[in-house]
Amino acid sequence: MESTATILNIKKADQSRINQVDFNNLAFGKNYSDHMMYCDYVNGEWQTPQIVPYGPMEFAPSVKVFHYGQAVFEGMKAFKDDNGLVNLFRPEKNFERINKSSLRLAIPEFPEEYFMEGLKKLIQLDYDWVKPGQGNSLYIRPFVIATEEGVAAAPSDSYRFMIITCPSQAYYNKPVRVLFAEKYSRSANGGVGYAKAAGNYGAQFYPTNLARQKGYDQIIWTDANEHKFLEEAGTMNIFFRIGDKLLTAPTSDRILDGVTRKSIIQLAQDLGIEIEVAPVEVERIKEAARKGELKEIFGTGTAATVAKVIAFEHGGDEFSLPEMNENEYSSLLKKTLQDIQYNRIEDKHNWLVPVER
Ligand code: COI
């Protein structure tokens, strides 16, 4: 291994794969950049992080992640500005959240220095994989998996933390149609809904497939007790606009504390948009839709950025959102967010963290 002045060991790829990628036609999460980072937890300690060429890893069939899903992940992005400089967007929030998720899954916390240094070094090495221009970004996927061999149902005593990155464009390339959940649930009080636990996502695949068969792209999950309150969309937090007021559910132990969600709330406040962070009743949204007062629904997430909803279904009733116009909040907030991410306007909340070339 080539050693560096940093806290990491680095082994560079002999040859870049960048020329094999069609950057104008990227399917989300299908192309991975040249390098990845990993760091093993053994004997009660995180070992020296390693950056190596992206590639397969070998694990015994008995490792615990395969049996008990002891795994957490993050989603974050780097953006290249018009001067060719790369910035990470609020990486400290993802660092804080992966450890919050880890705690809930009985995974040891990862050191901040390893996370930040590893991330920056990885992006420095794969700088050319971050393409400039509206909609382009490098999606960054940190994750931790349980690697102890043995199927006893108890926390693993060894783990692997990893970061892989992939060039990305829009997650949803058209407005989405959603179903408000009436039968299945994503999370419950005291559960893991607030954590980015791998199983939270896998558990949504079946009900989401059923929704797709009915012509809907996503489910907006409701509270598990009564299915009366709208919570989040699984890959996104969710916002509603009634009249000129924006509504979104408060975070709780059932709802992911989205980084894009909190950025959008801040930007809405900066723009003087009235925002109510309070439980959102299904009936209130349906009533507003019937009266023509429901103007917009949109989701926010790292991968999705800001995704418009054009229709929703609940209790056999389908509602269409009105035709979008220039004054829609989703477009304004998305543009403001992206102007910050691409370093086109003042970053007054200091959300960008530069990565040196
Ligand atoms: C993200 O937005 O980063 C997410 O984690 C959603 C993902 C499941 C695509």
Side-chain angles (χ1 to χ4, degrees):
M1 293 256 161
E2 182 189 324
S3 74
T4 67
T6 72
I7 50 170
L8 308 139
N9 289 333
I10 298 175
K11 183 179 185 299
K12 287 191 188 166
D14 292 334
Q15 228 186 347
S16 176
R17 288 177 285 100
I18 199 164
N19 292 329
Q20 299 167 16
V21 177
D22 178 359
F23 283 88
N24 295 317
N25 285 301
L26 293 168
F28 185 84
K30 289 290 185 198
N31 299 98
Y32 287 88
S33 44
D34 288 328
H35 298 91
M36 62 184 191
M37 172 196 164
Y38 74 88
C39 181
D40 286 328
Y41 181 88
V42 282
N43 300 326
E45 261 184 292
W46 288 103
Q47 308 295 308
T48 305
Q50 315 285 331
I51 291 183
V52 295
Y54 178 88
M57 299 176 296
E58 198 170 86
F59 293 105
S62 63
V63 298
K64 296 203 177 202
V65 66
F66 297 145
H67 304 274
Y68 304 116
Q70 199 189 1
V72 296
F73 73 96
E74 269 305 317
M76 51 199 298
K77 275 180 176 170
F79 300 89
K80 193 169 261 178
D81 71 16
D82 291 338
N83 296 316
L85 300 174
V86 172
N87 289 291
L88 290 159
F89 185 72
R90 309 189 77 176
E92 71 290 348
K93 294 287 168 223
N94 300 93
F95 167 72
E96 287 163 12
R97 195 172 58 188
I98 201 166
N99 277 343
K100 221 170 133 189
S101 302
S102 288
L103 189 67
R104 181 62 180 81
L105 273 282
I107 296 172
E109 290 185 12
F110 195 65
E112 182 167 11
E113 194 189 13
Y114 287 3
F115 185 92
M116 292 299 173
E117 277 295 303
L119 192 57
K120 286 184 184 169
K121 195 73 212 169
L122 193 59
I123 290 164
Q124 231 172 43
L125 283 172
D126 288 340
Y127 217 81
D128 292 341
W129 288 80
V130 197
K131 295 295 175 194
Q134 184 67 28
N136 288 317
S137 64
L138 189 74
Y139 183 75
I140 303 164
R141 174 54 66 91
F143 61 104
V144 192
I145 53 171
T147 53
E148 183 188 342
E149 291 185 40
V151 295
S156 178
D157 65 9
S158 61
Y159 296 89
R160 178 163 286 189
F161 170 93
M162 299 201 66
I163 306 180
I164 54 177
T165 70
C166 54
S168 76
Q169 289 165 331
Y171 191 76
Y172 294 111
N173 47 23
K174 59 176 180 45
V176 292
R177 291 164 49 78
V178 299
L179 206 68
F180 290 177
E182 293 179 72
K183 176 178 178 189
Y184 296 98
S185 300
R186 174 186 172 274
S187 63
N189 293 337
V192 293
Y194 70 90
K196 270 186 105 67
N200 277 348
Y201 293 77
Q204 296 177 60
F205 294 164
Y206 174 68
T208 305
N209 275 350
L210 298 180
R212 290 221 171 95
Q213 284 164 17
K214 290 177 73 178
Y216 298 92
D217 306 292
Q218 274 272 312
I219 294 174
I220 300 191
W221 298 103
T222 48
D223 66 287
N225 285 346
E226 299 178 282
H227 298 293
K228 265 173 69 174
F229 294 94
L230 293 154
E231 301 208 314
E232 64 149 280
T235 57
M236 307 185 285
N237 294 106
I238 196 90
F239 288 76
F240 304 86
R241 174 181 175 179
I242 297 183
D244 283 338
K245 192 197 263 192
L246 212 47
L247 317 174
T248 195
T251 52
S252 68
D253 55 1
R254 300 185 306 273
I255 300 182
L256 188 84
D257 185 8
V259 179
T260 312
R261 172 189 177 276
K262 64 171 114 239
S263 306
I264 289 292
I265 292 175
Q266 179 65 62
L267 294 178
Q269 287 165 343
D270 293 353
L271 290 163
I273 294 172
E274 191 187 350
I275 177 154
E276 182 182 312
V277 180
V280 182
E281 246 183 300
V282 171
E283 278 315 315
R284 181 175 176 195
I285 298 304
K286 288 177 77 173
E287 188 57 20
R290 282 190 200 102
K291 290 185 178 156
E293 291 168 357
L294 182 70
K295 305 280 184 229
E296 296 177 56
I297 302 181
F298 57 90
T300 63
T302 297
T305 314
V306 175
K308 286 189 231 180
V309 171
I310 47 162
F312 71 90
E313 195 263 7
H314 180 263
D317 303 323
E318 174 162 317
F319 297 86
S320 295
L321 275 294
E323 277 297 303
M324 306 296 178
N325 59 43
E326 289 155 18
N327 299 320
E328 65 189 14
Y329 288 164
S330 61
S331 303
L332 176 64
L333 290 163
K334 182 176 182 180
K335 180 175 180 331
T336 311
L337 178 69
Q338 290 186 321
D339 281 348
I340 294 172
Q341 292 173 328
Y342 291 103
N343 204 12
R344 294 191 286 241
I345 59 173
E346 189 196 348
D347 171 26
K348 64 178 182 194
H349 299 291
N350 295 318
W351 286 342
L352 298 187
V353 173
V355 180
E356 279 171 38
R357 179 146 212 161

